[in-house]
Amino acid sequence: MAILVTGGTGYIGSHTIVELLNEGYDVVIVDNLSNSKIEVLHKIKQITKKDFKFYEVDILCREALEEIFKKNSIEAVIHFASLKSVGESVAKPLMYYNNNIVGTLVLCEVMNRYNVKKMVFSSSATVYKGSDSPLTEDSELGATNPYGNTKLMIEQILRDIYMSNNSWGITLLRYFNPVGAHESGLIGEDSVDTPNNLMPYITQVAIGKRKQLNIFGDDYNTYDGTGIRDYVHVVDIAKGHLKALDEILNKNQCEVYNLGTGKGYSVLDIIYQFTESTGIDIPYTVCNRRPGDVAICYADSTSAYEKLGWKSERNLDDMCRDSWKWQVLNPFGY
Ligand code: NAD
Ligand code: UDP
């Protein structure tokens, strides 16, 4: 029996596959390579010395997806495949609703048809309305952009599927801010365009690709005025999927868990820690706030600890060092 990983050549998917293979799972990957490169497959093999199947398939293509379910004995699905840029989703909402929601509907229909009823789904802290951190799974929900709406809607769709038939086992994982890379430096976040996120931007400044970091506002109501987030190492996030999988392989349910460290760090904290961890200064300038940003967002991950036995193990130093190692070893990405 194999685990089907949609979006498996992407950033979080590739790290999760390494953990799955290391734990002895058989893995089948589906990805249309719209935001990832085929080269990652060799790197995964290099790290794990294990083999797996890969299909270059769009999950919207029902026939191709059905073929995969026919040819392989699939036990459960980890569903990463999604478009994920907030800005792009505002400009191209139809593309986001089609890819993320219709893609998930097709996947669920095919799963149902082949009697595969176990799924771990990638949700996000973006589903929270976001005022009162720490955020628990019961905090108020509300997205402010089409990308976030797709995550909220898919969560609801998956809950409804479970309500209609309790033989499903579904886990919704709400990631906070995944950063870092595999300790080997062989796989990491491959940012081709200008990164939107803080850590890849910092590593690009550090390597000289960009002149300086723009800090989006230093007048928030926080201890140093800059925005506070819950950065969590991607390998810890990856391991969370194995815990979630363990639970649903034994239990029918629809549960939701936050995956974060429970600690918030400001933009300035990250800059100082990066310099501390790598010896490289990050020049920066303060500019206007970024529209849509909240001051503070961090997780209460007690539920993941108590019910899944998961907690983050890597600290900010690991996150900075591993992000930097990936950047240095792969200055042009894969
Ligand atoms: P990513 O873009 O690196 O990986 C997503 C993968 O899905 C890509 O390889 C892409 O080619 C593939 N894909 C997209 N649409 C597809 C389709 N229709 N058919 C087949 N493959 C398709 O993103 P990531 O950072 O690894 O994120 C993985 C998941 O986690 C996504 O669902 C994302 O929304 C969610 N998430 C990410 C973050 C983050 O900060 N990275 C935070 C919260 C949630
Ligand atoms: N940020 C910044 N400059 C950048 C990118 C991000 O100052 O070039 C800030 C952003 O305003 C936020 C924090 O860094 O306070 C984390 O931003 P990111 O986009 O990584 O995560 P998100 O805001 O989606 O949680």
Side-chain angles (χ1 to χ4, degrees):
M1 298 288 272
I3 308 300
L4 180 74
V5 183
T6 75
T9 46
Y11 173 45
I12 305 173
S14 55
H15 288 82
T16 303
I17 288 164
V18 165
E19 299 303 319
L20 287 168
L21 292 168
N22 283 342
E23 282 299 310
Y25 285 99
D26 282 336
V27 171
V28 175
I29 305 176
V30 182
D31 201 299
N32 64 359
L33 301 179
S34 60
N35 197 39
S36 53
K37 301 207 189 87
I38 190 97
E39 284 74 15
V40 70
L41 300 177
H42 307 297
K43 307 288 181 151
I44 295 173
K45 283 180 191 161
Q46 213 176 320
I47 295 170
T48 62
K49 317 266 185 283
K50 302 251 173 76
D51 210 357
F52 48 82
K53 283 195 191 165
F54 170 70
Y55 294 92
E56 185 177 342
V57 159
D58 193 310
I59 57 164
L60 285 154
C61 182
R62 185 186 304 264
E63 294 73 28
L65 204 54
E66 287 213 14
E67 271 310 297
I68 297 171
F69 278 78
K70 260 186 221 156
K71 286 194 180 133
N72 297 279
S73 176
I74 308 289
E75 188 175 18
V77 176
I78 305 184
H79 179 30
F80 294 104
S82 161
L83 297 172
K84 64 164 184 178
S85 159
V86 170
E88 189 182 44
S89 81
V90 174
K92 300 176 180 169
L94 282 175
M95 188 168 105
Y96 271 67
Y97 287 117
N98 187 49
N99 190 78
N100 296 1
I101 296 189
V102 181
T104 302
L105 291 176
V106 172
L107 175 66
C108 289
E109 280 168 2
V110 174
M111 287 174 68
N112 196 38
R113 178 138 190 221
Y114 288 83
N115 207 27
V116 179
K117 293 183 175 163
K118 306 285 177 180
M119 179 192 276
V120 180
F121 171 66
S122 301
S123 190
S124 165
T126 194
V127 299
Y128 291 115
K129 212 155 188 185
S131 36
D132 270 336
S133 284
L135 294 156
T136 73
E137 288 79 359
D138 295 327
S139 295
E140 196 180 353
L141 300 177
T144 52
N145 57 70
Y147 166 68
N149 282 331
T150 68
K151 292 293 173 191
L152 261 184
M153 288 176 191
I154 294 168
E155 283 199 2
Q156 191 55 54
I157 290 166
L158 295 175
R159 273 193 214 97
D160 289 344
I161 291 175
Y162 174 72
M163 290 304 282
S164 75
N165 180 339
N166 291 352
S167 63
W168 282 75
I170 297 171
T171 301
L172 317 171
L173 295 179
R174 292 179 182 151
Y175 319 144
F176 278 66
N177 291 59
V179 295
H182 190 263
E183 58 178 7
S184 63
L186 288 170
I187 57 172
E189 186 167 14
D190 195 12
S191 306
V192 245
D193 306 322
T194 310
N196 290 316
N197 297 116
L198 181 63
M199 188 64 91
Y201 206 103
I202 288 179
T203 62
Q204 291 201 4
V205 172
I207 207 161
K209 267 195 194 171
R210 317 215 169 257
K211 225 173 86 211
Q212 61 184 9
L213 173 73
N214 299 309
I215 296 184
F216 298 144
D218 67 353
D219 56 352
Y220 284 105
N221 187 18
T222 61
Y223 48 82
D224 63 19
T226 66
I228 290 178
R229 295 290 183 277
D230 188 337
Y231 300 92
V232 48
H233 198 293
V234 66
V235 172
D236 283 328
I237 294 264
K239 287 175 183 288
H241 291 77
L242 272 73
K243 298 277 190 187
L245 200 58
D246 254 5
E247 190 185 43
I248 51 169
L249 288 178
N250 296 306
K251 214 161 144 195
N252 299 334
Q253 59 171 37
C254 184
E255 270 292 343
V256 52
Y257 298 109
N258 285 338
L259 295 187
T261 63
K263 279 193 234 77
Y265 290 100
S266 72
V267 178
L268 288 173
D269 287 336
I270 302 296
I271 296 172
Y272 296 147
Q273 181 61 54
F274 189 85
T275 300
E276 178 81 22
S277 300
T278 65
I280 298 167
D281 281 330
I282 301 297
Y284 62 82
T285 183
V286 176
C287 56
N288 289 338
R289 291 181 179 193
R290 183 170 63 178
D293 271 359
V294 294
I296 303 177
C297 177
Y298 63 94
D300 179 332
S301 285
T302 310
S303 186
Y305 180 60
E306 287 179 349
K307 295 192 191 147
L308 292 181
W310 177 89
K311 69 175 168 49
S312 64
E313 281 165 0
R314 288 154 186 79
N315 61 24
L316 208 54
D317 179 41
D318 300 319
M319 298 182 214
C320 291
R321 273 191 296 105
D322 292 338
S323 297
W324 180 231
K325 185 169 183 184
W326 154 254
Q327 177 72 81
V328 170
L329 291 180
N330 307 272
F332 306 106
Y334 287 112

